[in-house]
């Protein structure tokens, strides 16, 4: 009995049976209809059909699971094959319906991220906006759900996390005499020091910047901090929640000492989650993330900043139309987004140009008159704006695509996108003085969101139903007491074949990873020859050392990284290793792509080839040895191979980030003593002495093999990934072969009869094709009707 407890304690609660009773169906259908309000009727119909398929599949799996649990409940010795089957059923039952699609809006100060979100959700001024100044002070996630009210959760730094930041802030502001008793240089606060003073005064009050770390630990904060470190807000109307939320997410002015208690705990806030009730515009399952452009001085917030970027499957780089043509901030945002495509889950990247209605007509007409071949029929502001926007799209699309081609594999999904640039206007979306609603392209972004969710739902449900069908095939065959021929038990040929193929897979993975060896070595050579120039550029400021002393100290306190709300992000470790990444980026992208293999450098196709060869061999041996008597089990095993090896892709994606960042992590660890020494420097000419310590420290580490150690650590991470893949494959396939070799006579005769569940599952599996065909027909009819409808007229000419 003890042997069964591991999975018996996970049995569904009896009261959960109620979810399958008829009286609740109307309520559930109503909820489902509400969740799909964001979609046009054609897409709603498709989603409802897929939702129904998934719901009925979960019901069949739950009924099957409960029958099996009841049939083996009193058994003392349950075969491993039955344990495997029961646990697989439970895993499918508990599998989330759909992982959220995170769409990151990534932009610098005043770019219009919050205004864009407000327009997309059709709630003017919901998130705070204020033109050119920094407004949103932390990561804000906006999604819709099944709640009846508007809700928000404000997550605060833990007590330990705040103590860590407090220590860094006070160290940054600490002014002492130098080693020889001389006073420190005349102190000119830089950006880092200004922000530290601002935070301390906001949290503790005026004069806090002059107190020590120990004194501030004993001081009482101005605001009330909940013990849970989470603040929950609710409101019936969007405007009401917006008013409550504003003090927590709006960046407070540095010259302002007023405000409420909510304002005073602002420095503790690390994340805000906002949930809208059943939105007609944003479907449930999509999360819009307002991401500040440069990270944060606090380690926890900065880590969350990077992880948030990496978990986004879509990134929109937001840039004001007046700043689109240059500037370091814009380029930094694009580079960080392209890194997310390398190290994270990002598959789609686009440039969203905001404030696209801004245009000075006389100036534009004069510009146009000097261009050859320019159309001369511009009669209005609207025509000029539309022409200029189209021109920007063509130009920026080419520039962005060229940048992506240099960083990513040629067959990357993002390069296949028909549109990489959108020109939007949140202001015109509300006013429609110059542009129509369609011409603001806000509806186009909504359509993109809906399409992504619909496509993901189709793929997820198709995979789910197919996997469930395979399990029911096997379960039904286990319930059968038919005697199978002895040839079925002869699995040694398949086992030998699997062992040989695993060895070939290991060699293929080695060959795949070997493609990065030469670019990695070339990158090391480039880094050795250029690190002094790069470091020197990072340590020079146009104003000299004025105000840079404290910024450099902040960089050293955070082991080479400083993230400011107003200045570009500084990362010395990343800058020093940039020549290596320039060499390996295209190869790294090819290794982790999912397209067809060309030169053998892609990892996923090797796993797909292993899966296909295993499935083909299993079918071949099955036919030769009489598996036709147990085709259900054969079909299940083939499908189970797909499920097992398909799960490897997610495992690989999770490991990818650690591999990609291993170079900068290694360099940061090697330079940590150097940063710590520089951070302690005070007194006369402290800034120059800090720079000198950094230069000498980097020189010493490079001479001792810093870049070579980084190379070894990345190669070690690749080796660990290979070992993890082969271990998972060996373990899972061994369990499957144990299932295949389990005798069919007498072992399963006590199992419950699940023929009715199998028949229902068979019908659901057949319905997949019908649902897909219906969706295609509806989409075709919708497109036909749209083509036949008259085009919308624009606003009056201005």
């Amino acid at each position: 009995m003890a042997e069964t407890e591991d999975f018996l304690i996970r049995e569904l609660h009896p009261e959960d049976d109620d979810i399958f009773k008829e009286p609740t169906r109307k309520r559930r259908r109503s909820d489902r209809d509400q969740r799909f309000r964001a979609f046009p009727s054609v897409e709603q119909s498709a989603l409802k059909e897929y939702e129904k398929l998934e719901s009925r599949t979960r019901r069949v799996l739950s009924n099957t699971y409960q029958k099996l649990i009841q049939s083996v409940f009193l058994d003392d010795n349950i075969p491993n094959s039955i344990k495997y089957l029961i646990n697989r059923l439970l895993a499918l039952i508990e599998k989330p319906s759909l992982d959220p699609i995170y769409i990151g809006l990534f932009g610098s100060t005043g770019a219009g991220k919050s205004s864009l979100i407000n327009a997309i959700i059709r709630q003017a001024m919901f998130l705070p906006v204020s033109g050119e100044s920094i407004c949103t002070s932390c990561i804000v996630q906006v999604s819709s759900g099944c709640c009846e009210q508007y809700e928000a959760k404000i997550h605060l730094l833990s007590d330990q996390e705040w103590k860590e930041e407090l220590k860094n802030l006070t160290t940054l502001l600490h002014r002492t005499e130098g080693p020889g008793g001389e006073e420190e240089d005349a102190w000119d606060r830089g950006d880092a020091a200004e922000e530290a003073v601002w935070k301390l005064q906001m949290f503790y009050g005026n004069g806090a910047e002059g107190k020590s770390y120990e004194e501030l630990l004993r001081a009482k904060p101005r605001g009330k901090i909940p013990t849970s470190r989470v603040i929950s807000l609710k409101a019936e109307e969007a405007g009401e929640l917006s008013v409550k939320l504003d003090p927590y997410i709006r960046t407070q002015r540095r010259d302002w000492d007023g405000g409420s208690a909510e304002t005073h705990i602002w420095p503790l806030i690390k994340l805000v989650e906002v949930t809208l009730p059943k939105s007609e515009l944003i479907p449930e399952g999509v999360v819009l993330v307002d991401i500040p452009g440069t990270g944060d001085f606090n380690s926890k917030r900065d880590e969350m900043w990077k992880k948030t970027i990496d978990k986004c499957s879509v990134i929109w780089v937001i840039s004001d139309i007046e700043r689109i043509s240059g500037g370091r901030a814009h380029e930094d945002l694009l580079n960080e987004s392209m890194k997310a495509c390398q190290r994270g889950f990002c598959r789609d990247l686009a440039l969203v140009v905001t404030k696209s209605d801004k245009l000075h007509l006389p100036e534009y007409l004069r510009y146009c008159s000097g261009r050859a071949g320019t159309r001369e029929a511009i009669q209005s502001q609207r025509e000029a704006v539309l022409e200029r926007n189209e021109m920007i799209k063509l130009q920026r699309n080419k520039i962005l695509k060229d940048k992506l081609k240099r960083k990513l594999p040629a067959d990357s999904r993002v390069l296949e996108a028909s549109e990489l640039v959108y020109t939007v206007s949140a202001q015109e979306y509300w006013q429609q003085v110059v542009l129509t609603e369609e011409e603001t392209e806000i509806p186009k972004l909504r359509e993109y969101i809906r399409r992504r969710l619909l496509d993901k739902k189709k793929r997820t449900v198709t995979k789910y139903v197919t996997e469930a069908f395979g399990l029911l095939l096997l379960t039904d065959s286990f319930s059968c007491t038919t005697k199978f021929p002895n040839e079925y038990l002869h699995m040694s040929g398949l086992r030998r074949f699997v062992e040989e193929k695993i060895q070939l897979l290991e060699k293929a993975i080695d060959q795949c990873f070997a493609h990065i060896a030469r670019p990695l070595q070339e990158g090391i050579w480039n880094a050795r020859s250029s690190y002094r120039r790069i470091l020197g550029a990072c340590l020079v400021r146009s104003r000299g050392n004025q105000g840079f002393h404290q910024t450099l100290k902040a960089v050293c306190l955070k082991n080479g990284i400083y993230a400011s709300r107003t200045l570009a992000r500084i990362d010395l470790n990343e800058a020093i290793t940039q020549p290596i990444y320039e060499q390996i980026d295209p190869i790294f992208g090819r290794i982790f792509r999912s397209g067809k293999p060309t030169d053998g450098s892609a990892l996923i196709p090797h796993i797909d080839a292993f899966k296909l060869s295993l499935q083909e061999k299993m079918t071949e041996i099955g036919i030769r040895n009489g598996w036709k008597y147990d085709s259900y089990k054969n079909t299940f095993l083939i499908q189970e191979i797909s499920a097992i090896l398909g799960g490897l892709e997610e495992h690989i994606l999770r490991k990818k980030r650690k591999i990609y960042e291993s170079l900068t992590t290694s360099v940061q660890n090697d330079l940590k003593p150097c940063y710590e020494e520089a951070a302690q420097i005070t007194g006369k000419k402290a800034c120059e002495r800090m720079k000198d310590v950094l230069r000498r420290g980097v020189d010493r580490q490079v001479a001792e093999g810093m870049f070579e150690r980084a190379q070894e650590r990345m190669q070690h991470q690749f080796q660990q990934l290979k070992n993890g893949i082969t271990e998972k494959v060996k373990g899972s396939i061994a369990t499957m072969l144990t299932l295949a070799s389990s005798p069919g006579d007498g072992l399963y005769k006590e199992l419950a009869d699940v023929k009715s569940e199998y028949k229902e599952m068979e019908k659901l599996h057949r319905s997949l094709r019908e649902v897909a065909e219906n969706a295609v027909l509806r989409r075709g009819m919708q497109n036909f009707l749209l083509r036949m409808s008259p085009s919308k007229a624009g606003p009056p000419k201005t």
Side-chain angles (χ1 to χ4, degrees):
M1 285 294 295
E3 192 172 318
T4 68
E5 287 178 2
D6 287 342
F7 61 87
L8 290 181
I9 60 174
R10 304 174 69 196
E11 181 181 2
L12 298 177
H13 298 294
E15 56 268 25
D16 286 348
D17 288 346
D18 292 342
I19 66 173
F20 303 127
K21 291 182 180 179
E22 189 67 29
T24 63
R25 287 186 179 178
K26 288 184 179 179
R27 178 181 57 81
R28 295 203 333 264
R29 185 178 297 116
S30 174
D31 289 345
R32 186 168 63 237
D33 292 346
Q34 292 289 320
R35 285 167 49 203
F36 299 148
R37 290 168 63 191
F39 292 88
S41 57
V42 170
E43 295 173 353
Q44 281 191 28
S45 299
L47 279 167
K48 288 174 185 176
E49 288 184 343
Y50 280 107
E51 187 89 352
K52 186 177 179 181
L53 270 178
E54 181 188 354
S55 176
R56 289 175 62 187
T57 298
R58 287 187 188 274
R59 181 184 65 187
V60 172
L61 291 173
S62 296
N63 290 345
T64 305
Y65 174 81
Q66 292 180 16
K67 280 188 175 183
L68 291 185
I69 287 292
Q70 291 168 7
S71 66
V72 301
F73 186 78
L74 297 177
D75 291 356
D76 292 327
N77 188 20
I78 302 174
N80 287 333
S81 54
I82 300 300
K83 289 182 185 178
Y84 178 88
L85 179 62
I86 290 175
N87 286 324
R88 283 287 287 116
L89 282 167
L90 185 58
L92 265 185
I93 293 167
E94 295 180 342
K95 189 174 184 179
S97 178
L98 188 71
D99 291 329
I101 296 175
Y102 289 91
I103 299 179
L105 283 76
F106 193 36
S108 55
T109 303
K113 301 185 299 295
S114 299
S115 297
L116 181 57
I117 291 178
N118 289 341
I120 291 174
I121 66 176
R122 199 185 288 162
Q123 295 289 348
M125 305 302 292
F126 183 71
L127 297 181
V129 296
S130 63
E132 297 298 315
S133 63
I134 306 174
C135 205
T136 307
S137 61
C138 58
I139 295 172
V140 180
Q141 297 183 173
V142 180
S143 61
S144 67
C146 56
C147 53
E148 297 297 328
Q149 295 178 303
Y150 291 85
E151 299 179 359
K153 286 186 177 181
I154 297 104
H155 299 266
L156 308 179
L157 293 173
S158 69
D159 186 56
Q160 189 59 40
E161 290 164 354
W162 172 245
K163 286 179 179 178
E164 178 195 337
E165 178 163 10
L166 182 61
K167 191 164 190 176
N168 286 326
L169 294 174
T170 52
T171 301
L172 185 61
L173 295 176
H174 190 45
R175 299 174 61 192
T176 61
E177 293 183 343
E182 70 271 23
E183 291 184 0
E184 197 167 8
D185 289 337
W187 203 56
D188 186 0
R189 286 178 183 170
D191 179 80
E194 288 285 358
E195 187 160 333
V197 170
W198 181 30
K199 286 183 177 179
L200 293 179
Q201 289 180 346
M202 180 69 69
F203 195 64
Y204 293 108
N206 290 333
E209 71 276 14
K211 296 182 180 179
S212 67
Y213 171 68
E214 291 75 17
E215 288 174 323
L216 290 176
L217 282 179
R218 296 190 295 268
K220 183 179 180 181
R222 299 170 73 189
K224 185 178 180 181
I225 304 170
T227 55
S228 64
R229 315 299 277 201
V230 176
I231 300 170
S232 296
L233 304 175
K234 292 185 179 182
E236 294 291 335
E237 301 294 334
E240 183 185 353
L241 182 68
S242 178
V243 171
K244 292 181 178 180
L245 195 57
D246 192 278
Y248 295 103
I249 61 177
R250 182 186 291 275
T251 298
Q252 306 302 322
R253 295 203 322 266
R254 301 191 184 192
D255 59 349
W256 186 60
D257 188 45
S260 61
E262 292 89 348
T263 303
H264 298 150
I265 66 167
W266 170 83
L268 288 185
I269 298 171
K270 61 180 178 182
L271 171 68
V272 174
E273 294 178 299
V274 180
T275 306
L276 312 176
K278 302 183 180 69
S279 172
E280 294 183 0
L281 303 165
I282 299 300
E284 186 177 343
V286 172
V287 183
L288 299 176
V289 191
D290 186 338
I291 307 175
T294 58
D296 197 274
F297 181 64
N298 176 268
S299 298
K300 191 67 177 178
R301 276 196 291 251
D302 198 60
E303 179 187 354
M304 179 176 289
W305 175 80
K306 185 166 282 190
K307 285 185 176 180
T308 299
I309 295 172
D310 287 348
K311 76 179 179 182
C312 291
S313 56
V314 179
I315 291 180
W316 292 341
V317 179
I318 313 298
S319 185
D320 183 336
I321 199 164
E322 295 181 343
R323 289 186 264 179
I324 194 65
S325 298
R328 178 181 170 184
H330 175 69
E331 292 301 316
D332 287 346
L333 292 170
L334 280 177
N335 290 334
E336 192 66 42
S337 302
M338 287 187 281
K339 288 175 191 172
C341 292
Q342 292 280 34
R343 69 180 182 231
F345 289 87
C346 182
R347 290 294 178 269
D348 279 352
L349 187 151
L351 174 62
V352 179
V353 183
T354 57
K355 308 176 187 179
S356 67
D357 59 299
K358 284 187 176 181
L359 181 141
H360 187 242
L361 185 58
E363 184 178 318
Y364 180 74
L365 291 175
R366 185 173 60 182
Y367 164 73
C368 290
S369 65
R371 288 188 301 153
T374 302
R375 181 170 62 88
E376 298 179 358
I378 296 177
Q379 300 293 325
S380 67
Q381 181 88 4
R382 172 175 173 267
E383 290 177 354
V385 167
L386 292 176
E387 181 185 77
R388 189 275 316 270
N389 289 353
E390 190 61 32
M391 183 173 60
I392 285 178
K393 280 186 180 181
L394 292 173
Q395 292 173 347
R396 304 312 300 188
N397 190 80
K398 183 180 185 305
I399 292 171
L400 180 55
K401 187 160 284 190
D402 288 343
K403 285 179 180 290
L404 291 170
K405 283 179 179 177
R406 290 196 296 270
K407 288 283 187 180
L408 305 176
D411 59 353
S412 296
R413 173 176 170 177
V414 65
L415 293 174
E416 298 172 358
S418 57
E419 288 187 278
L420 287 174
V421 182
Y422 298 87
T423 52
V424 304
S425 172
Q427 179 172 313
E428 276 300 296
Y429 173 79
W430 300 110
Q431 298 178 355
Q432 296 184 32
V433 174
V434 177
L435 302 175
T436 66
E437 181 176 315
E438 292 295 325
E439 288 165 350
T440 67
E441 298 201 358
I442 299 296
K444 186 181 286 188
L445 293 181
R446 290 189 192 130
E447 182 185 0
Y448 172 89
I449 292 170
R450 293 195 303 266
R451 188 170 63 248
R452 278 299 301 257
L453 185 69
L454 182 58
D455 290 345
K456 185 171 183 178
K457 187 68 174 180
K458 288 178 182 177
R459 292 194 305 270
T460 302
V461 173
T462 299
K463 182 179 178 181
Y464 187 78
V465 173
T466 302
E467 197 172 339
F469 180 52
L471 281 174
L472 264 293
L473 282 171
L474 184 66
T475 307
D476 186 55
S477 71
F478 277 4
S479 301
C480 180
T481 58
T482 305
K483 293 184 178 182
F484 304 112
N486 290 331
E487 288 85 359
Y488 179 80
L489 304 178
H490 186 67
M491 299 295 295
S492 58
L494 183 56
R495 290 183 187 277
R496 285 195 302 272
F497 177 82
V498 170
E499 290 171 0
E500 292 170 1
K501 283 295 179 181
I502 289 177
Q503 291 176 0
L504 291 175
L505 177 62
E506 289 179 321
K507 291 180 181 178
I509 295 174
D510 284 335
Q511 292 170 0
C512 169
F513 292 164
H515 282 80
I516 207 167
R518 184 171 178 178
L520 184 56
Q521 184 60 58
E522 291 174 351
I524 297 297
W525 294 335
N526 292 346
R528 288 183 67 90
S529 63
S530 61
Y531 78 89
R532 283 182 178 144
R533 173 181 56 80
I534 294 171
L535 182 61
C538 292
L539 298 180
V540 171
R541 287 295 178 271
S542 58
R543 297 186 302 164
N545 291 337
Q546 185 181 10
F548 186 55
H549 172 197
Q550 303 296 14
T551 299
L552 186 57
K553 190 169 188 177
V555 170
C556 296
L557 284 170
K558 306 305 292 185
N559 293 323
I561 301 172
Y562 174 61
S564 162
R565 298 179 187 277
T566 55
L567 299 180
R569 183 180 178 88
I570 300 174
D571 190 333
L572 298 185
N573 314 297
E574 194 173 273
I576 291 171
T577 54
Q578 189 56 36
I580 310 177
Y581 284 109
E582 288 174 356
Q583 290 294 321
I584 69 169
D585 271 352
I587 303 299
F588 192 91
R590 287 210 293 272
I591 288 174
F592 291 99
R593 71 180 177 216
S594 56
K596 294 180 180 179
T598 52
D599 57 359
S601 62
L603 177 59
I604 299 297
H606 285 305
I607 295 174
D608 290 340
F610 170 76
K611 175 181 71 176
L612 182 61
S613 65
L614 190 56
Q615 290 173 332
E616 289 175 346
K617 189 66 176 179
M618 188 171 287
T619 302
E620 175 192 326
I621 292 178
I623 294 173
R624 189 168 64 238
N625 292 321
W627 282 30
K628 61 183 180 180
Y629 294 99
D630 193 16
S631 60
Y632 290 173
K633 189 174 291 188
N634 181 30
T635 303
F636 160 76
L637 293 173
I638 291 174
Q639 291 184 352
E640 193 70 356
I641 290 171
S642 295
I644 291 170
L645 298 182
L648 278 177
E649 186 168 358
E650 187 174 344
H651 169 77
I652 291 168
L653 286 174
R654 285 198 301 269
K655 297 295 183 183
K656 183 174 71 165
R657 178 188 177 189
K658 189 174 183 180
I659 297 173
Y660 189 77
E661 293 183 339
S662 61
L663 296 174
T664 52
T665 302
S666 176
V667 166
Q668 185 180 46
N669 289 337
D670 285 354
L671 293 179
K672 188 173 182 180
C674 168
Y675 292 134
E676 291 174 347
E677 180 184 352
Q680 299 303 315
I681 293 176
T682 58
K684 284 284 186 180
K685 299 187 181 300
C687 192
E688 284 303 322
R689 288 160 51 209
M690 290 169 68
K691 291 180 181 179
D692 188 55
V693 166
L694 290 174
R695 293 189 189 102
R696 286 188 288 105
V698 174
D699 278 343
R700 183 173 60 252
Q701 287 298 327
V702 170
E704 294 175 358
M706 178 177 74
F707 291 126
E708 288 73 18
R709 286 192 296 274
Q711 178 183 15
E712 290 171 3
R713 286 163 182 164
M714 175 171 270
Q715 290 171 332
H716 177 67
Q717 291 291 334
F718 274 116
Q719 183 63 37
Q720 283 191 321
L721 176 59
K722 187 195 86 168
N723 295 341
I725 291 171
T726 53
E727 286 172 9
K728 285 179 178 293
V729 169
K730 287 177 182 177
S732 301
I733 299 298
T735 303
M736 282 189 41
L737 294 181
T738 300
L739 275 176
S741 60
S742 297
D745 185 21
L747 181 58
Y748 312 110
K749 61 184 179 182
E750 300 300 327
L751 282 183
D753 183 4
V754 294
K755 287 194 179 297
S756 60
E757 285 77 15
Y758 162 69
K759 288 180 180 179
E760 184 175 357
M761 196 66 243
E762 188 177 33
K763 291 178 183 176
L764 294 173
H765 189 252
R766 284 200 305 266
S767 298
L768 277 175
R769 176 177 293 183
E770 181 182 342
V771 170
E773 290 173 349
N774 290 342
V776 172
L777 288 173
R778 292 192 190 100
R779 171 61 67 180
M781 180 60 71
Q782 183 186 48
N783 291 339
F784 172 76
L785 293 174
L786 287 174
R787 288 196 303 270
M788 297 300 292
S789 63
S791 59
K792 295 182 179 180
K797 294 182 179 180
T798 58

